[in-house]
Amino acid sequence: MDRPTTTLFMLMSVDGKISTGATDELDVDKDFPKIEGVKEGLNQYYEIEQTTDLWSFNTGRVQAKMGVNEKEMPAKTPVSFVLLDNHHLTEYGVRYFCALSKQAVIITSNASHPAFSVDSDNLHIIFQEQHSLPEALKRLKNECGCNRLTIQSGGTINGLFLREKLFDYVDIVVAPILIGGKDTPTLIDGRSLVSDNELSGLGVLKLIDCTVLRNSYIRLRYEVVN
């Protein structure tokens, strides 16, 4: 395969929500630890997260929401981070990921992105005049040596991965909560299908494993077969 093997790894509610609401102020990482009946088993998700691939894909928007543009510089980890970003990361945010990552990769179509001002041996920039996830993943493998990649981005970008047939596996931890709200981000967002001619864009899954975790959490692992 001319791109990394990919796994979508997310924490979601029983109704498929990956946030607690429709604004950036609401977030599962911030809010789930406050909720009785949910907080008790939350650590299991983070323990599983520690076993995922050593290459992690996310977006600058999600990371800016988590405060990387203001956080203290972190200690180095063995994980390499790939960030799709045009304008959410500041120069400080890019330096944060260079400090955190074994390799830090920025995928951008912004020729003035702050990453171009950062001089770091472990920073690699994939510039595209027009975003193309398939081409970016090819370059990620060929130029950076990434063979396995865990996807932890938002619902809209997850939707692009789905429509481009770029998911190989899905690994979901389901929290025992219903959130609701038509504007609350879900596991897969983006443009809805509008005709049966588009049904080829669906992702058909084969169950690999279903594990009942503590405190009413479950883990579902699938292979994407179509």
Side-chain angles (χ1 to χ4, degrees), residues 122-209:
N122 68 337
L123 175 63
H124 186 87
I125 301 172
I126 295 177
F127 175 73
Q128 300 178 309
E129 291 188 1
Q130 297 291 329
H131 276 308
S132 168
L133 279 175
E135 182 61 29
L137 292 189
K138 289 179 184 178
R139 291 183 60 182
L140 188 61
K141 181 172 184 176
N142 295 330
E143 297 174 16
C144 304
C146 173
N147 291 310
R148 300 190 65 88
L149 181 66
T150 293
I151 312 299
Q152 292 183 279
S153 54
T156 300
I157 299 300
N158 291 345
L160 294 179
F161 271 90
L162 174 65
R163 302 306 176 214
E164 294 281 3
K165 301 290 186 182
L166 296 174
F167 285 138
D168 299 305
Y169 297 94
V170 176
D171 189 350
I172 300 297
V173 176
V174 183
I177 188 171
L178 295 169
I179 295 174
K182 67 181 181 64
D183 296 321
T184 300
T186 61
L187 184 69
I188 304 289
D189 287 327
R191 187 182 67 84
S192 299
L193 303 184
V194 295
S195 73
D196 58 5
N197 293 327
E198 298 178 290
L199 293 181
S200 60
L202 299 176
V204 179
L205 309 177
K206 176 182 177 182
L207 185 65
I208 298 173
D209 182 65

Side-chain angles (χ1 to χ4, degrees), residues 21-223:
T23 67
D24 283 350
E25 287 71 32
L26 297 170
D27 181 78
V28 296
D29 289 311
K30 182 177 67 175
D31 298 330
F32 276 10
K34 306 174 185 175
I35 302 172
E36 296 289 338
V38 176
K39 66 181 182 181
E40 292 82 0
L42 184 59
N43 66 300
Q44 297 170 103
Y45 166 74
Y46 297 112
E47 290 170 358
I48 295 170
E49 186 178 40
Q50 295 302 309
T51 69
T52 58
D53 299 316
L54 290 177
W55 283 85
S56 177
F57 179 98
N58 212 302
T59 66
R61 181 183 183 277
V62 169
Q63 293 304 313
K65 177 181 174 181
M66 295 175 65
V68 300
N69 291 326
E70 297 86 25
K71 286 183 178 180
E72 292 186 7
M73 283 293 170
K76 180 73 69 178
T77 72
V79 179
S80 294
F81 288 90
V82 183
L83 299 173
L84 179 67
D85 183 63
N86 272 349
H87 56 81
H88 290 94
L89 292 178
T90 64
E91 182 176 328
Y92 182 91
V94 175
R95 293 186 185 279
Y96 177 96
F97 274 99
C98 290
L100 180 69
S101 309
K102 182 177 181 180
Q103 293 189 62
V105 181
I106 305 294
I107 302 171
T108 187
S109 59
N110 177 7
S112 300
H113 194 281
F116 288 104
S117 300
V118 176
D119 183 13
S120 179
D121 291 340
N122 68 337
L123 175 63
H124 186 87
I125 301 172
I126 295 177
F127 175 73
Q128 300 178 309
E129 291 188 1
Q130 297 291 329
H131 276 308
S132 168
L133 279 175
E135 182 61 29
L137 292 189
K138 289 179 184 178
R139 291 183 60 182
L140 188 61
K141 181 172 184 176
N142 295 330
E143 297 174 16
C144 304
C146 173
N147 291 310
R148 300 190 65 88
L149 181 66
T150 293
I151 312 299
Q152 292 183 279
S153 54
T156 300
I157 299 300
N158 291 345
L160 294 179
F161 271 90
L162 174 65
R163 302 306 176 214
E164 294 281 3
K165 301 290 186 182
L166 296 174
F167 285 138
D168 299 305
Y169 297 94
V170 176
D171 189 350
I172 300 297
V173 176
V174 183
I177 188 171
L178 295 169
I179 295 174
K182 67 181 181 64
D183 296 321
T184 300
T186 61
L187 184 69
I188 304 289
D189 287 327
R191 187 182 67 84
S192 299
L193 303 184
V194 295
S195 73
D196 58 5
N197 293 327
E198 298 178 290
L199 293 181
S200 60
L202 299 176
V204 179
L205 309 177
K206 176 182 177 182
L207 185 65
I208 298 173
D209 182 65
C210 176
T211 304
V212 177
L213 304 174
R214 301 183 306 278
N215 303 102
S216 298
Y217 279 73
I218 61 173
R219 182 185 185 185
L220 301 171
R221 298 174 62 216
Y222 296 92
E223 180 181 0

